[in-house]
Coordinates of all heavy atoms in Angstrom, one line a residue:
M1 N 20.1 31.5 -47.5 CA 21.3 30.9 -47.1 C 21.4 30.9 -45.6 O 20.9 31.8 -44.9 CB 22.5 31.7 -47.7 CG 23.8 31.1 -47.4 SD 25.1 32.1 -48.2 CE 26.4 31.0 -48.0
S2 N 22.0 29.8 -45.0 CA 22.1 29.8 -43.6 C 23.5 29.3 -43.2 O 24.2 28.8 -44.1 CB 21.0 28.9 -43.0 OG 21.2 27.5 -43.4
G3 N 23.9 29.5 -42.0 CA 25.2 29.1 -41.5 C 25.9 30.3 -41.0 O 25.4 31.4 -40.9
W4 N 27.2 30.1 -40.8 CA 28.1 31.2 -40.3 C 28.6 32.0 -41.4 O 29.1 31.5 -42.4 CB 29.3 30.6 -39.5 CG 28.9 29.9 -38.2 CD1 28.6 28.6 -38.0 CD2 28.6 30.6 -37.0 NE1 28.2 28.4 -36.7 CE2 28.2 29.6 -36.1 CE3 28.7 31.9 -36.6 CZ2 27.9 29.9 -34.7 CZ3 28.4 32.2 -35.3 CH2 28.0 31.2 -34.4
T5 N 28.5 33.3 -41.3 CA 28.9 34.3 -42.3 C 29.7 35.4 -41.7 O 29.3 35.9 -40.6 CB 27.6 34.9 -43.0 OG1 26.8 33.8 -43.5 CG2 28.0 35.8 -44.1
K6 N 30.7 35.8 -42.4 CA 31.5 37.0 -41.9 C 30.7 38.2 -42.0 O 30.1 38.6 -43.0 CB 32.8 37.1 -42.7 CG 33.6 38.3 -42.3 CD 34.9 38.5 -43.1 CE 35.7 39.7 -42.6 NZ 36.9 39.9 -43.2
A7 N 30.6 38.9 -40.8 CA 29.9 40.2 -40.8 C 30.8 41.4 -40.8 O 30.5 42.5 -41.3 CB 29.0 40.2 -39.5
A8 N 32.0 41.2 -40.2 CA 33.0 42.3 -40.1 C 34.3 41.8 -39.6 O 34.3 40.6 -39.2 CB 32.5 43.4 -39.2
S9 N 35.3 42.6 -39.6 CA 36.5 42.2 -39.0 C 36.5 42.8 -37.6 O 35.8 43.8 -37.3 CB 37.8 42.7 -39.7 OG 37.9 44.1 -39.6
V10 N 37.2 42.2 -36.6 CA 37.2 42.7 -35.2 C 37.7 44.1 -35.2 O 37.3 44.9 -34.3 CB 37.9 41.8 -34.3 CG1 37.2 40.4 -34.1 CG2 39.4 41.6 -34.7
D11 N 38.6 44.5 -36.1 CA 39.2 45.8 -36.1 C 38.1 46.9 -36.5 O 38.4 48.1 -36.2 CB 40.3 45.9 -37.1 CG 41.5 45.0 -36.7 OD1 41.6 44.6 -35.5 OD2 42.3 44.7 -37.6
E12 N 37.0 46.5 -37.1 CA 36.0 47.5 -37.5 C 35.1 47.9 -36.4 O 34.4 48.9 -36.5 CB 35.1 46.9 -38.6 CG 35.9 46.6 -39.9 CD 34.9 46.0 -40.9 OE1 33.9 46.6 -41.3 OE2 35.2 44.8 -41.3
L13 N 35.2 47.2 -35.2 CA 34.3 47.5 -34.1 C 35.0 48.4 -33.1 O 36.1 48.1 -32.7 CB 33.7 46.3 -33.5 CG 32.9 45.4 -34.4 CD1 32.4 44.1 -33.7 CD2 31.7 46.1 -35.0
T14 N 34.3 49.3 -32.6 CA 34.8 50.2 -31.5 C 34.0 49.8 -30.2 O 32.8 49.6 -30.3 CB 34.5 51.7 -31.8 OG1 35.2 52.0 -33.1 CG2 35.0 52.6 -30.7
A15 N 34.7 49.6 -29.1 CA 34.1 49.3 -27.9 C 33.0 50.2 -27.5 O 33.1 51.4 -27.6 CB 35.2 49.2 -26.8
N16 N 31.9 49.6 -27.1 CA 30.7 50.3 -26.6 C 30.0 51.1 -27.7 O 29.2 52.0 -27.3 CB 31.0 51.2 -25.4 CG 31.5 50.3 -24.3 OD1 31.0 49.3 -23.9 ND2 32.7 50.8 -23.7
E17 N 30.2 50.8 -29.0 CA 29.5 51.5 -30.1 C 29.0 50.4 -31.0 O 29.6 49.4 -31.2 CB 30.4 52.5 -30.8 CG 30.8 53.7 -30.0 CD 31.7 54.6 -30.8 OE1 31.8 54.5 -32.0 OE2 32.3 55.5 -30.1
G18 N 27.9 50.7 -31.7 CA 27.3 49.8 -32.6 C 27.8 50.0 -34.0 O 28.3 51.1 -34.3
K19 N 27.7 49.0 -34.8 CA 28.0 49.1 -36.3 C 27.0 48.3 -37.0 O 26.8 47.1 -36.7 CB 29.4 48.5 -36.5 CG 29.8 48.5 -38.0 CD 31.2 48.0 -38.3 CE 31.5 48.0 -39.8 NZ 31.5 49.3 -40.4
C20 N 26.3 48.9 -38.0 CA 25.4 48.2 -38.8 C 26.0 47.6 -40.0 O 26.8 48.2 -40.7 CB 24.3 49.2 -39.3 SG 23.0 48.4 -40.2
V21 N 25.7 46.3 -40.2 CA 26.3 45.6 -41.3 C 25.1 44.8 -42.0 O 24.1 44.6 -41.4 CB 27.3 44.6 -40.9 CG1 28.6 45.3 -40.4 CG2 26.8 43.5 -40.0
S22 N 25.2 44.5 -43.3 CA 24.2 43.7 -44.0 C 24.8 42.4 -44.2 O 25.9 42.2 -44.8 CB 23.9 44.4 -45.3 OG 22.9 43.7 -45.9
V23 N 24.1 41.3 -43.8 CA 24.6 40.0 -43.9 C 23.4 39.2 -44.5 O 22.3 39.1 -43.9 CB 25.0 39.3 -42.6 CG1 25.4 37.9 -42.7 CG2 26.1 40.2 -41.9
D24 N 23.7 38.6 -45.7 CA 22.6 37.9 -46.4 C 21.3 38.6 -46.5 O 20.2 38.0 -46.2 CB 22.4 36.5 -45.8 CG 23.6 35.6 -46.0 OD1 24.5 35.9 -46.8 OD2 23.7 34.6 -45.3
G25 N 21.4 39.9 -46.7 CA 20.2 40.7 -46.9 C 19.5 41.2 -45.5 O 18.4 41.8 -45.6
Q26 N 20.2 40.9 -44.4 CA 19.6 41.3 -43.1 C 20.5 42.3 -42.5 O 21.7 42.2 -42.4 CB 19.5 40.0 -42.2 CG 18.6 39.0 -42.7 CD 18.6 37.8 -41.8 OE1 18.4 37.9 -40.6 NE2 18.8 36.6 -42.4
D27 N 19.9 43.4 -42.1 CA 20.7 44.5 -41.4 C 20.8 44.1 -39.9 O 19.9 43.8 -39.2 CB 19.9 45.8 -41.4 CG 20.0 46.4 -42.8 OD1 20.9 46.1 -43.6 OD2 19.1 47.2 -43.2
I28 N 22.1 44.0 -39.5 CA 22.5 43.5 -38.2 C 23.3 44.6 -37.5 O 24.2 45.1 -38.1 CB 23.2 42.2 -38.3 CG1 22.3 41.1 -38.9 CG2 23.7 41.7 -36.9 CD1 23.0 39.8 -39.2
A29 N 23.0 44.8 -36.2 CA 23.8 45.7 -35.4 C 24.8 44.9 -34.6 O 24.4 44.0 -33.9 CB 22.9 46.5 -34.4
L30 N 26.1 45.2 -34.8 CA 27.1 44.5 -34.1 C 27.6 45.4 -32.9 O 27.7 46.6 -33.1 CB 28.3 44.2 -35.0 CG 28.1 43.3 -36.2 CD1 29.3 43.2 -37.0 CD2 27.6 41.9 -35.7
F31 N 28.0 44.7 -31.8 CA 28.5 45.5 -30.7 C 29.7 44.7 -30.0 O 29.7 43.5 -30.0 CB 27.4 45.6 -29.6 CG 26.2 46.4 -30.0 CD1 25.1 45.7 -30.6 CD2 26.2 47.8 -29.9 CE1 24.0 46.4 -31.0 CE2 25.1 48.5 -30.3 CZ 24.0 47.8 -30.9
F32 N 30.6 45.4 -29.5 CA 31.7 44.9 -28.7 C 31.7 45.6 -27.4 O 32.0 46.7 -27.3 CB 33.1 45.1 -29.5 CG 34.3 44.6 -28.7 CD1 34.4 43.2 -28.3 CD2 35.3 45.4 -28.3 CE1 35.5 42.8 -27.6 CE2 36.4 45.0 -27.6 CZ 36.5 43.7 -27.3
V33 N 31.3 44.8 -26.3 CA 31.1 45.4 -25.0 C 31.7 44.5 -24.0 O 31.4 43.3 -23.9 CB 29.6 45.7 -24.7 CG1 29.4 46.2 -23.3 CG2 29.0 46.6 -25.8
D34 N 32.6 45.1 -23.1 CA 33.2 44.3 -22.1 C 33.8 43.0 -22.5 O 33.6 41.9 -21.9 CB 32.2 44.1 -20.9 CG 31.8 45.4 -20.3 OD1 32.6 46.3 -20.2 OD2 30.6 45.4 -19.8
G35 N 34.5 43.0 -23.7 CA 35.2 41.9 -24.2 C 34.3 40.8 -24.9 O 34.8 39.8 -25.3
Q36 N 33.0 41.1 -25.0 CA 32.1 40.2 -25.7 C 31.5 40.9 -27.0 O 31.3 42.1 -27.0 CB 30.9 39.9 -24.8 CG 31.3 39.2 -23.5 CD 31.8 37.8 -23.8 OE1 31.2 37.0 -24.5 NE2 32.8 37.4 -23.1
Y37 N 31.2 40.0 -27.9 CA 30.6 40.4 -29.2 C 29.2 40.0 -29.2 O 28.8 38.9 -28.8 CB 31.4 39.8 -30.4 CG 32.8 40.3 -30.5 CD1 33.8 39.7 -29.8 CD2 33.1 41.4 -31.3 CE1 35.1 40.2 -30.0 CE2 34.4 41.9 -31.5 CZ 35.4 41.3 -30.8 OH 36.6 41.7 -30.9
Y38 N 28.3 40.9 -29.7 CA 26.9 40.7 -29.8 C 26.4 41.1 -31.2 O 26.9 42.0 -31.8 CB 26.1 41.6 -28.8 CG 26.6 41.3 -27.4 CD1 27.6 42.1 -26.8 CD2 26.1 40.3 -26.6 CE1 28.0 41.9 -25.5 CE2 26.5 40.1 -25.3 CZ 27.5 40.9 -24.7 OH 27.9 40.7 -23.5
A39 N 25.3 40.5 -31.6 CA 24.7 40.8 -32.9 C 23.1 40.7 -32.7 O 22.6 39.7 -32.2 CB 25.1 39.8 -34.0
L40 N 22.5 41.9 -33.1 CA 21.1 42.0 -32.9 C 20.5 42.5 -34.2 O 21.2 43.2 -35.0 CB 20.7 43.0 -31.8 CG 21.2 42.6 -30.4 CD1 21.0 43.8 -29.5 CD2 20.5 41.4 -29.9
A41 N 19.2 42.3 -34.5 CA 18.5 42.9 -35.6 C 18.7 44.4 -35.4 O 18.6 45.0 -34.3 CB 17.1 42.6 -35.6
D42 N 19.0 45.1 -36.5 CA 19.3 46.6 -36.4 C 18.1 47.4 -36.3 O 18.2 48.5 -35.6 CB 20.1 47.0 -37.7 CG 20.6 48.4 -37.6 OD1 21.2 48.8 -36.5 OD2 20.2 49.3 -38.4
A43 N 16.9 47.0 -36.8 CA 15.7 47.9 -36.7 C 15.0 47.7 -35.4 O 14.6 46.6 -35.1 CB 14.8 47.6 -37.9
C44 N 14.8 48.8 -34.7 CA 13.9 48.8 -33.5 C 12.5 48.3 -33.9 O 12.0 48.9 -34.9 CB 13.9 50.1 -32.8 SG 12.9 50.2 -31.3
P45 N 11.9 47.4 -33.2 CA 10.5 47.0 -33.5 C 9.5 48.0 -33.3 O 8.3 47.9 -33.8 CB 10.3 45.7 -32.7 CG 11.2 45.9 -31.5 CD 12.4 46.6 -32.0
H46 N 9.8 49.1 -32.6 CA 8.8 50.2 -32.4 C 8.5 51.0 -33.6 O 7.4 51.0 -34.1 CB 9.3 51.1 -31.2 CG 8.4 52.2 -30.9 ND1 8.8 53.5 -30.8 CD2 7.0 52.2 -30.6 CE1 7.8 54.3 -30.5 NE2 6.7 53.5 -30.4
V47 N 9.6 51.7 -34.1 CA 9.4 52.5 -35.3 C 10.5 52.3 -36.3 O 10.5 52.9 -37.4 CB 9.3 54.0 -35.0 CG1 9.0 54.9 -36.1 CG2 8.2 54.2 -33.9
G48 N 11.5 51.4 -36.1 CA 12.5 51.1 -37.1 C 13.8 51.8 -37.0 O 14.6 51.8 -37.9
A49 N 14.1 52.5 -35.9 CA 15.4 53.2 -35.7 C 16.5 52.2 -35.8 O 16.4 51.0 -35.4 CB 15.4 54.0 -34.4
S50 N 17.7 52.7 -36.2 CA 18.9 51.8 -36.3 C 19.4 51.6 -34.9 O 19.8 52.6 -34.2 CB 20.0 52.4 -37.2 OG 21.2 51.7 -37.0
M51 N 19.4 50.4 -34.4 CA 19.9 50.1 -33.1 C 21.5 50.3 -33.0 O 22.0 50.6 -31.9 CB 19.5 48.7 -32.6 CG 18.0 48.5 -32.5 SD 17.2 49.8 -31.4 CE 18.0 49.5 -29.9
A52 N 22.1 50.2 -34.1 CA 23.6 50.4 -34.1 C 23.9 51.9 -33.7 O 25.0 52.1 -33.3 CB 24.1 50.1 -35.5
E53 N 22.9 52.8 -33.9 CA 23.1 54.2 -33.5 C 22.8 54.4 -32.0 O 22.9 55.6 -31.5 CB 22.3 55.1 -34.4 CG 22.8 55.0 -35.9 CD 21.9 55.8 -36.8 OE1 21.1 56.6 -36.3 OE2 22.1 55.7 -38.0
G54 N 22.3 53.4 -31.3 CA 21.9 53.6 -29.9 C 23.0 53.6 -29.0 O 24.1 53.0 -29.3
A55 N 22.8 54.1 -27.8 CA 23.8 54.1 -26.7 C 23.8 52.8 -26.1 O 22.8 52.1 -26.0 CB 23.5 55.2 -25.7
V56 N 25.0 52.4 -25.5 CA 25.1 51.1 -24.8 C 25.2 51.5 -23.3 O 26.0 52.4 -23.0 CB 26.4 50.4 -25.3 CG1 26.6 49.2 -24.4 CG2 26.2 50.0 -26.7
D57 N 24.5 50.8 -22.5 CA 24.5 51.1 -21.1 C 24.1 49.8 -20.3 O 23.1 49.2 -20.5 CB 23.5 52.2 -20.7 CG 23.4 52.6 -19.3 OD1 24.5 52.8 -18.7 OD2 22.3 52.6 -18.7
C58 N 25.0 49.4 -19.4 CA 24.7 48.3 -18.4 C 24.2 47.1 -19.1 O 23.2 46.4 -18.7 CB 23.7 48.8 -17.4 SG 24.3 50.1 -16.3
G59 N 24.9 46.7 -20.2 CA 24.5 45.5 -20.9 C 23.3 45.6 -21.8 O 22.8 44.6 -22.3
E60 N 22.9 46.8 -22.1 CA 21.7 47.0 -22.9 C 22.0 48.1 -24.0 O 23.0 48.9 -23.9 CB 20.5 47.6 -22.1 CG 20.1 46.6 -21.0 CD 18.9 47.2 -20.2 OE1 18.8 48.4 -20.1 OE2 18.2 46.4 -19.6
V61 N 21.3 48.0 -25.1 CA 21.3 49.1 -26.1 C 20.0 49.8 -26.0 O 18.9 49.2 -25.9 CB 21.6 48.5 -27.5 CG1 20.5 47.5 -28.0 CG2 21.8 49.6 -28.5
I62 N 20.1 51.2 -26.2 CA 19.0 52.0 -26.0 C 18.6 52.6 -27.4 O 19.5 53.2 -28.1 CB 19.3 53.2 -25.1 CG1 19.7 52.6 -23.7 CG2 18.1 54.1 -24.9 CD1 20.4 53.7 -22.8
C63 N 17.4 52.5 -27.8 CA 16.9 53.0 -29.1 C 17.2 54.5 -29.1 O 16.8 55.2 -28.2 CB 15.4 52.7 -29.3 SG 14.8 53.4 -30.8
P64 N 17.8 55.0 -30.2 CA 18.1 56.4 -30.3 C 16.9 57.3 -30.5 O 17.0 58.5 -30.3 CB 19.1 56.5 -31.5 CG 18.7 55.4 -32.3 CD 18.3 54.3 -31.4
W65 N 15.8 56.8 -30.9 CA 14.6 57.6 -31.2 C 13.7 57.8 -30.0 O 13.2 58.8 -29.7 CB 13.8 57.1 -32.4 CG 14.5 57.3 -33.7 CD1 15.7 57.9 -33.9 CD2 14.0 56.8 -34.9 NE1 16.0 57.9 -35.3 CE2 15.0 57.2 -35.9 CE3 12.9 56.1 -35.4 CZ2 14.8 56.9 -37.3 CZ3 12.8 55.8 -36.7 CH2 13.7 56.2 -37.6
H66 N 13.3 56.7 -29.3 CA 12.3 56.7 -28.3 C 12.7 56.1 -27.0 O 11.9 55.9 -26.1 CB 11.0 56.1 -28.8 CG 10.4 56.8 -30.0 ND1 10.4 56.3 -31.2 CD2 9.9 58.1 -30.1 CE1 9.9 57.1 -32.1 NE2 9.6 58.2 -31.4
G67 N 13.9 55.6 -26.9 CA 14.4 55.1 -25.6 C 14.1 53.7 -25.2 O 14.4 53.3 -24.0
A68 N 13.6 52.9 -26.1 CA 13.3 51.5 -25.7 C 14.7 50.8 -25.4 O 15.7 51.2 -26.0 CB 12.6 50.7 -26.9
R69 N 14.7 49.9 -24.5 CA 16.0 49.3 -24.1 C 15.9 47.8 -24.3 O 14.9 47.1 -24.1 CB 16.3 49.5 -22.6 CG 16.5 51.0 -22.3 CD 16.7 51.2 -20.8 NE 17.9 50.8 -20.4 CZ 19.0 51.5 -20.1 NH1 18.9 52.8 -20.1 NH2 20.1 51.0 -19.6
F70 N 17.0 47.2 -24.8 CA 17.1 45.8 -25.2 C 18.4 45.2 -24.6 O 19.4 45.8 -24.7 CB 17.1 45.6 -26.7 CG 15.9 46.2 -27.4 CD1 15.9 47.5 -27.8 CD2 14.7 45.5 -27.6 CE1 14.9 48.2 -28.4 CE2 13.6 46.1 -28.2 CZ 13.7 47.4 -28.6
Q71 N 18.3 44.0 -24.1 CA 19.5 43.3 -23.6 C 20.4 42.9 -24.8 O 19.9 42.4 -25.8 CB 19.2 42.0 -22.8 CG 18.5 42.3 -21.5 CD 18.2 41.0 -20.8 OE1 18.6 40.0 -21.2 NE2 17.5 41.2 -19.6
L72 N 21.7 43.2 -24.7 CA 22.6 42.9 -25.7 C 22.8 41.3 -25.9 O 22.9 40.8 -27.0 CB 24.0 43.4 -25.5 CG 24.2 44.9 -25.6 CD1 25.5 45.4 -25.1 CD2 24.0 45.3 -27.1
K73 N 22.7 40.6 -24.8 CA 23.0 39.2 -24.8 C 21.9 38.4 -25.6 O 22.2 37.4 -26.2 CB 23.1 38.6 -23.4 CG 21.9 38.6 -22.6 CD 22.1 38.0 -21.2 CE 20.8 38.0 -20.5 NZ 20.9 37.4 -19.2
D74 N 20.6 38.8 -25.6 CA 19.6 38.1 -26.2 C 18.5 38.9 -26.9 O 17.5 38.3 -27.5 CB 18.9 37.1 -25.2 CG 18.3 37.8 -24.1 OD1 18.2 39.0 -24.1 OD2 17.9 37.1 -23.1
G75 N 18.6 40.2 -26.9 CA 17.7 41.1 -27.6 C 16.4 41.3 -26.8 O 15.5 41.9 -27.3
A76 N 16.3 40.8 -25.6 CA 15.1 40.9 -24.8 C 14.7 42.3 -24.5 O 15.6 43.1 -24.2 CB 15.2 40.1 -23.5
L77 N 13.5 42.7 -24.6 CA 13.0 44.0 -24.3 C 13.0 44.2 -22.8 O 12.5 43.4 -22.0 CB 11.6 44.2 -24.8 CG 10.9 45.5 -24.5 CD1 11.5 46.7 -25.2 CD2 9.4 45.4 -24.8
T78 N 13.6 45.3 -22.3 CA 13.6 45.6 -20.9 C 12.8 46.9 -20.6 O 12.5 47.1 -19.4 CB 15.1 45.7 -20.3 OG1 15.8 46.7 -21.0 CG2 15.8 44.4 -20.5
Q79 N 12.6 47.7 -21.6 CA 11.8 48.9 -21.4 C 11.2 49.4 -22.7 O 11.9 49.4 -23.7 CB 12.7 50.0 -20.8 CG 12.0 51.4 -20.6 CD 13.0 52.4 -20.0 OE1 13.7 52.2 -19.1 NE2 13.0 53.6 -20.7
G80 N 9.9 49.7 -22.7 CA 9.3 50.2 -23.9 C 9.7 51.6 -24.2 O 10.6 52.2 -23.6
P81 N 9.1 52.1 -25.3 CA 7.8 51.9 -25.8 C 7.6 50.7 -26.7 O 6.5 50.3 -27.1 CB 7.4 53.1 -26.5 CG 8.6 53.7 -27.0 CD 9.7 53.3 -26.0
A82 N 8.7 50.1 -27.2 CA 8.6 48.9 -28.0 C 7.9 47.8 -27.2 O 7.9 47.8 -26.0 CB 10.0 48.4 -28.4
R83 N 7.2 46.9 -28.0 CA 6.5 45.8 -27.3 C 7.1 44.5 -27.5 O 6.8 43.5 -26.9 CB 5.1 45.8 -27.8 CG 4.3 47.0 -27.4 CD 2.8 46.9 -27.8 NE 2.1 48.1 -27.4 CZ 0.9 48.3 -27.5 NH1 0.1 47.3 -28.1 NH2 0.3 49.4 -27.1
D84 N 8.1 44.4 -28.4 CA 8.8 43.1 -28.7 C 10.3 43.3 -28.6 O 10.8 44.4 -28.8 CB 8.4 42.7 -30.2 CG 6.9 42.4 -30.4 OD1 6.4 41.6 -29.6 OD2 6.4 43.0 -31.3
G85 N 11.0 42.2 -28.4 CA 12.4 42.3 -28.4 C 13.0 42.2 -29.8 O 12.3 42.2 -30.8
L86 N 14.3 42.2 -29.8 CA 15.1 42.2 -31.1 C 15.6 40.8 -31.3 O 15.9 40.1 -30.4 CB 16.3 43.1 -31.0 CG 16.1 44.6 -30.9 CD1 17.4 45.3 -30.5 CD2 15.5 45.1 -32.2
K87 N 15.6 40.4 -32.6 CA 16.2 39.1 -32.9 C 17.7 39.2 -32.6 O 18.3 40.2 -32.9 CB 16.0 38.8 -34.4 CG 16.7 37.4 -34.8 CD 16.4 37.1 -36.2 CE 17.1 35.8 -36.5 NZ 16.7 35.1 -37.7
S88 N 18.2 38.1 -31.9 CA 19.6 38.1 -31.7 C 20.3 36.9 -32.5 O 19.6 36.0 -32.9 CB 19.9 37.8 -30.2 OG 19.5 36.6 -29.8
Y89 N 21.5 37.1 -32.8 CA 22.3 36.1 -33.6 C 23.4 35.6 -32.8 O 24.1 36.3 -32.0 CB 22.8 36.8 -34.9 CG 21.7 37.4 -35.8 CD1 21.2 38.6 -35.5 CD2 21.3 36.6 -36.8 CE1 20.2 39.2 -36.4 CE2 20.3 37.1 -37.7 CZ 19.8 38.4 -37.4 OH 18.8 38.9 -38.3
N90 N 23.7 34.3 -33.0 CA 25.0 33.8 -32.4 C 26.2 34.4 -33.1 O 26.2 34.7 -34.3 CB 25.0 32.3 -32.6 CG 23.9 31.5 -31.8 OD1 23.6 31.9 -30.7 ND2 23.4 30.5 -32.3
V91 N 27.2 34.6 -32.3 CA 28.4 35.3 -32.8 C 29.6 34.4 -32.3 O 29.7 33.9 -31.2 CB 28.6 36.7 -32.2 CG1 29.9 37.3 -32.6 CG2 27.4 37.5 -32.5
K92 N 30.6 34.4 -33.2 CA 31.9 33.8 -32.9 C 33.0 34.6 -33.6 O 32.7 35.2 -34.6 CB 32.0 32.3 -33.2 CG 32.0 32.0 -34.7 CD 32.1 30.4 -34.9 CE 32.1 30.1 -36.4 NZ 32.2 28.6 -36.6
I93 N 34.2 34.5 -33.1 CA 35.3 35.2 -33.7 C 36.2 34.1 -34.3 O 36.5 33.1 -33.6 CB 36.1 36.0 -32.6 CG1 35.2 37.0 -31.9 CG2 37.3 36.7 -33.3 CD1 34.5 37.9 -32.9
E94 N 36.6 34.3 -35.5 CA 37.4 33.3 -36.3 C 38.4 34.0 -37.1 O 38.0 34.8 -38.0 CB 36.4 32.4 -37.1 CG 37.0 31.2 -37.8 CD 36.0 30.4 -38.4 OE1 35.3 29.6 -37.7 OE2 35.8 30.5 -39.6
D95 N 39.6 33.8 -36.9 CA 40.7 34.4 -37.7 C 40.5 35.9 -37.8 O 40.7 36.5 -38.9 CB 40.8 33.8 -39.0 CG 41.2 32.3 -39.0 OD1 42.0 31.9 -38.1 OD2 40.7 31.5 -39.8
G96 N 40.2 36.6 -36.7 CA 40.0 38.1 -36.8 C 38.7 38.6 -37.4 O 38.6 39.8 -37.6
S97 N 37.8 37.7 -37.6 CA 36.5 38.0 -38.2 C 35.4 37.8 -37.2 O 35.4 36.8 -36.5 CB 36.2 37.2 -39.5 OG 37.2 37.5 -40.5
V98 N 34.4 38.7 -37.3 CA 33.2 38.5 -36.5 C 32.2 37.7 -37.4 O 31.8 38.2 -38.4 CB 32.6 39.9 -36.1 CG1 31.3 39.7 -35.3 CG2 33.6 40.7 -35.4
M99 N 31.9 36.5 -37.0 CA 31.0 35.6 -37.7 C 29.7 35.6 -37.0 O 29.6 35.5 -35.8 CB 31.6 34.2 -37.8 CG 33.1 34.1 -38.2 SD 33.3 34.5 -40.0 CE 32.5 33.1 -40.7
V100 N 28.6 35.7 -37.8 CA 27.3 35.6 -37.3 C 26.6 34.4 -37.9 O 26.8 34.1 -39.1 CB 26.4 36.8 -37.4 CG1 27.0 38.0 -36.7 CG2 26.3 37.2 -38.9
E101 N 25.7 33.7 -37.1 CA 25.0 32.6 -37.6 C 23.7 33.0 -38.1 O 22.8 33.5 -37.3 CB 24.9 31.5 -36.5 CG 24.2 30.2 -37.0 CD 24.2 29.2 -36.0 OE1 24.1 29.5 -34.8 OE2 24.2 28.0 -36.3
I102 N 23.4 32.8 -39.4 CA 22.2 33.2 -40.0 C 21.3 31.9 -40.2 O 21.8 31.0 -40.8 CB 22.4 33.9 -41.4 CG1 23.3 35.1 -41.3 CG2 21.1 34.2 -42.1 CD1 22.8 36.2 -40.5
N103 N 20.1 31.9 -39.7 CA 19.2 30.8 -39.9 C 17.9 31.3 -40.5 O 17.5 32.3 -40.5 CB 18.9 30.0 -38.7 CG 19.5 30.5 -37.4 OD1 20.3 31.4 -37.4 ND2 19.1 29.9 -36.3

């Protein structure tokens, strides 16, 4: 299935903390940081840690296991040990819901 899907309500997200949700069989880490919503693949490409459990710092999320850093805006890798970035998803807010675009 593809298109926009509700991932959570805006009330479920805490600023500067991640939340893991499952959308169409994909685990996605949602973030609300500095008034913006972000959605990234939840599993770190290094060893699979949940990125929703990572710390948020300066527009990046830090893997809780080995410290790899990824940009919230696009999932780009900024510091290893991971070698690849995270898949990012388009996000929009609609009627109090966090919607992610699944393709």
Side-chain angles (χ1 to χ4, degrees):
M1 183 175 193
S2 65
W4 291 97
T5 304
K6 180 179 177 177
S9 72
V10 295
D11 296 341
E12 294 177 62
L13 299 180
T14 302
N16 301 313
E17 292 183 14
K19 176 177 179 63
C20 182
V21 297
S22 183
V23 179
D24 291 344
Q26 298 179 48
D27 288 336
I28 297 174
L30 299 177
F31 299 91
F32 177 61
V33 178
D34 295 330
Q36 298 291 317
Y37 292 87
Y38 303 95
L40 300 171
D42 186 55
C44 178
H46 178 233
V47 185
S50 172
M51 296 309 298
E53 296 176 10
V56 173
D57 180 51
C58 298
E60 297 178 338
V61 60
I62 305 166
C63 176
W65 289 357
H66 300 110
R69 297 175 72 106
F70 305 88
Q71 291 182 5
L72 288 169
K73 67 178 181 179
D74 61 8
L77 175 69
T78 58
Q79 177 181 310
R83 294 185 179 185
D84 299 305
L86 296 167
K87 178 177 179 162
S88 66
Y89 298 85
N90 293 323
V91 178
K92 69 179 179 179
I93 305 304
E94 190 172 277
D95 297 325
S97 295
V98 180
M99 308 291 289
V100 295
E101 186 177 26
I102 304 296
N103 3 350

